[in-house]
Amino acid sequence: MRQLMEVENPMVLGTIEAVNKIPTFRYIETEFRDIYGSLIVFNDDYMEFPNGDIVHFDNIHTYLEGHYNAVFCTNK
């Protein structure tokens, strides 16, 4: 019988199948999430700020715009 594991990661679509009954990723006992609720997994990039906020790199624009009034521009 095949064992399938569901994962929450935008880089992985669907499920991961165990090969020879050995999972291909490390089991995370406690979830590690940023202040926006994004899951941070092994090898993900995130930032820790002096005030204790942890922000996944995918959300850094939102954080900087909201907390530091940063404006992101594109030079075309």
Side-chain angles (χ1 to χ4, degrees):
M1 187 163 112
R2 288 184 354 186
Q3 178 184 3
L4 298 177
M5 293 173 248
E6 294 198 18
V7 295
E8 181 186 342
N9 186 334
M11 300 302 291
V12 177
L13 299 176
T15 57
I16 294 176
E17 183 177 348
V19 178
N20 297 327
K21 298 183 180 180
I22 299 172
T24 56
F25 65 95
R26 183 185 303 173
Y27 175 73
I28 301 172
E29 191 168 322
T30 58
E31 290 186 345
F32 183 43
R33 295 184 178 268
D34 74 353
I35 63 169
Y36 297 103
S38 293
L39 183 65
I40 299 172
V41 296
F42 183 73
N43 269 350
D44 268 353
D45 294 321
Y46 65 93
M47 295 185 75
E48 294 181 18
F49 289 88
N51 63 359
D53 287 346
I54 295 174
V55 181
H56 191 282
F57 213 65
D58 290 347
N59 297 324
I60 198 66
H61 287 86
T62 304
Y63 183 82
L64 294 175
E65 287 172 342
H67 290 79
Y68 295 98
N69 295 324
V71 177
F72 290 90
C73 307
T74 302
N75 188 7
K76 293 184 179 184

